[in-house]
């Protein structure tokens, strides 16, 4: 739930006063030393149920099985014409891009596309709000992921004042009807919210800020995310309440551990689609501690 990043060099911000887990803290993103209170609590923040990441060898073994199934899924789409559309939402640094990358790694890029739109042009701002997203919907046989979507209007836009309260209210009212049209059209539609703990977000931002390879990802919007955590939380909770529906449910995935999150997202999609040659034993069963439907999994 954020706008596109720019590739400008990150600028110094100075120490920020923030509230974390009910405690007033000072966090200096420009200090190369990560505070102990972030490092020690990152993985278990937001009551994450595991105190260790999934072992790399277990992750790689499971991921390979799931990626093999995704190749089968794509072959089935080619022969059947079925269309798949998956929205990925979550706070900045929740792991949307990495999850999409793991999902699409062995899929044929000709028919497995990712959509990551920049801010609207002047022309797009004058159009029906959903119009620029619909233009990227899958045609027959396509597998399309959205790295952020029309749900910008449920998060970053109201928090940052990029839309009016009336536009936000109208969005929450109209979106379930819009998504009903998508499903009625026959598109296999998924909405994924990657849930991230506050200390883990701070750690990932800090890693970005001080990495010569990924500092381009860090932007002023990320600073806004740090200082407006509670505002984003309120918008997230309202979004899930108003747009979770029987025809277009939200799947919430705890993403403090990126490895577990990627596995559970892919597993969820594969279990939902009855494609030719599907191997449920290879796919495995979902971890209810990590993945759930809608607001039920949300604890903070």
């Amino acid at each position: 739930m954020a706008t596109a990043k720019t590739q400008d060099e990150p600028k110094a911000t100075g120490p920020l006063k923030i509230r974390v887990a009910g405690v007033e803290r000072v966090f200096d993103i420009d200090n190369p030393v990560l505070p102990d209170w972030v490092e020690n609590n990152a993985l278990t923040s937001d009551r994450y149920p595991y105190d260790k990441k999934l072992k790399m060898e277990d992750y790689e073994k499971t991921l390979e099985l799931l990626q093999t199934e995704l190749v089968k899924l794509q072959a089935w789409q080619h022969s059947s014409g079925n269309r798949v559309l998956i929205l990925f939402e979550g706070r900045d640094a929740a792991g949307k891009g990495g999850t999409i990358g793991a999902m699409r790694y062995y899929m044929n890029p000709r028919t497995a596309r990712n959509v990551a739109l920049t801010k609207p042009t002047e022309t797009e701002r004058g159009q029906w709000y959903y119009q620029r997203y619909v233009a990227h919907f899958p045609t027959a046989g396509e597998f399309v992921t959205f790295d952020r979507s029309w749900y910008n209007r449920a998060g970053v836009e109201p928090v940052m004042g990029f839309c009016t309260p009336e536009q936000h209210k109208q969005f929450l009212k109209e979106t379930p009807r819009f998504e009903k049209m998508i499903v009625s059209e026959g598109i296999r539609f998924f909405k994924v919210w990657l849930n991230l703990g506050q200390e883990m977000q701070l750690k990932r931002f800090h890693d970005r800020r001080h990495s010569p390879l990924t500092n381009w990802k860090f932007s002023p919007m990320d600073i806004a995310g740090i200082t407006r955590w509670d505002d984003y939380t309120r918008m997230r909770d309202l979004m899930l309440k108003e747009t979770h529906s029987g025809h277009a449910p939200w799947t919430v995935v705890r993403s403090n551990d990126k490895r577990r999150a990627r596995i559970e997202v892919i597993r969820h999609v594969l279990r939902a689609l009855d494609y030719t040659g599907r191997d449920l034993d290879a796919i495995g069963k979902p971890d209810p501690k990590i993945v759930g439907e809608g607001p039920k999994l949300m604890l903070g």
Side-chain angles (χ1 to χ4, degrees):
M1 298 165 76
T3 55
K5 303 285 194 297
T6 66
Q7 294 196 23
D8 296 334
E9 285 295 315
K11 298 179 181 179
T13 60
L16 300 171
K17 293 182 179 181
I18 56 176
R19 190 171 183 83
V20 180
V23 179
E24 295 293 336
R25 299 284 194 179
V26 175
F27 181 67
D28 187 354
I29 192 74
D30 299 317
N31 187 336
V33 179
L34 186 66
D36 289 343
W37 60 267
V38 175
E39 183 70 52
N40 296 338
N41 297 304
L43 183 60
T44 57
S45 58
D46 196 23
R47 293 181 283 274
Y48 191 75
Y50 295 102
D51 58 8
K52 293 182 180 179
K53 293 181 180 180
L54 183 65
K55 291 181 180 179
M56 179 61 77
E57 59 183 324
D58 293 337
Y59 167 68
E60 291 178 342
K61 180 180 179 180
T62 303
L63 182 61
E64 184 175 356
L65 291 172
L66 295 174
Q67 289 172 330
T68 299
E69 293 298 309
L70 285 167
V71 172
K72 293 182 189 178
L73 169 63
Q74 191 172 30
W76 168 74
Q77 286 189 256
H78 288 171
S79 62
S80 66
N82 272 276
R83 295 165 290 174
V84 175
L85 175 62
I86 311 174
L87 308 187
F88 284 85
E89 293 290 346
R91 300 180 194 264
D92 288 314
K96 297 178 289 296
T99 303
I100 291 169
M103 178 174 278
R104 297 177 59 245
Y105 194 80
Y106 289 107
M107 300 181 80
N108 186 338
R110 290 186 177 88
T111 54
R113 296 187 287 111
N114 184 52
V115 180
L117 301 181
T118 58
K119 64 181 182 180
T121 64
E122 183 176 352
T123 297
E124 289 170 335
R125 286 195 295 270
Q127 296 173 343
W128 178 47
Y129 178 72
Y130 305 94
Q131 186 168 338
R132 72 185 192 124
Y133 299 101
V134 173
H136 297 275
F137 277 19
T139 188
E142 279 196 319
F143 182 99
V144 175
T145 54
F146 272 77
D147 186 343
R148 302 188 182 93
S149 67
W150 47 90
Y151 280 98
N152 280 328
R153 182 145 291 181
V156 67
E157 290 190 18
V159 169
M160 299 301 295
F162 296 157
C163 71
T164 66
E166 291 75 18
Q167 288 173 322
H168 177 228
K169 183 178 179 180
Q170 183 180 23
F171 172 85
L172 294 175
K173 180 180 179 181
E174 291 184 348
T175 294
R177 294 199 291 261
F178 168 63
E179 292 173 351
K180 180 67 173 178
M181 294 170 63
I182 297 172
V183 176
S184 297
E185 170 61 19
I187 295 174
R188 307 304 296 271
F189 182 49
F190 300 85
K191 300 189 299 188
V192 177
W193 174 266
L194 295 178
N195 199 58
L196 186 66
Q198 190 173 9
E199 289 95 326
M200 180 55 80
Q201 186 189 55
L202 294 173
K203 183 181 186 304
R204 291 181 184 175
F205 280 165
H206 188 270
D207 290 345
R208 286 181 179 181
R209 172 67 180 86
H210 296 281
S211 168
L213 297 177
T214 61
N215 59 28
W216 61 270
K217 292 184 177 182
F218 191 72
S219 77
M221 295 302 299
D222 293 328
I223 297 298
I226 292 174
T227 59
R228 303 189 186 190
W229 176 271
D230 291 341
D231 294 334
Y232 275 100
T233 298
R234 284 190 289 270
M235 290 299 103
R236 177 204 65 189
D237 292 348
L238 181 60
M239 176 196 77
L240 290 172
K241 177 178 180 290
E242 297 296 330
T243 64
H244 177 73
S245 64
H247 59 270
W250 278 102
T251 298
V252 176
V253 181
R254 296 182 181 277
S255 64
N256 283 4
D257 179 2
K258 293 180 181 180
R259 297 169 190 170
R260 286 189 172 92
R262 292 170 185 175
I263 285 171
E264 293 303 330
V265 169
I266 299 172
R267 180 175 282 155
H268 171 73
V269 172
L270 291 172
R271 291 184 67 88
L273 299 171
D274 189 15
Y275 55 91
T276 303
R278 185 175 65 166
D279 186 342
L280 288 174
D281 289 334
I283 296 170
K285 296 181 179 179
D287 182 348
K289 296 180 181 179
I290 299 299
V291 61
E293 185 175 293
K296 295 178 182 178
L297 200 70
M298 305 304 300
L299 297 176

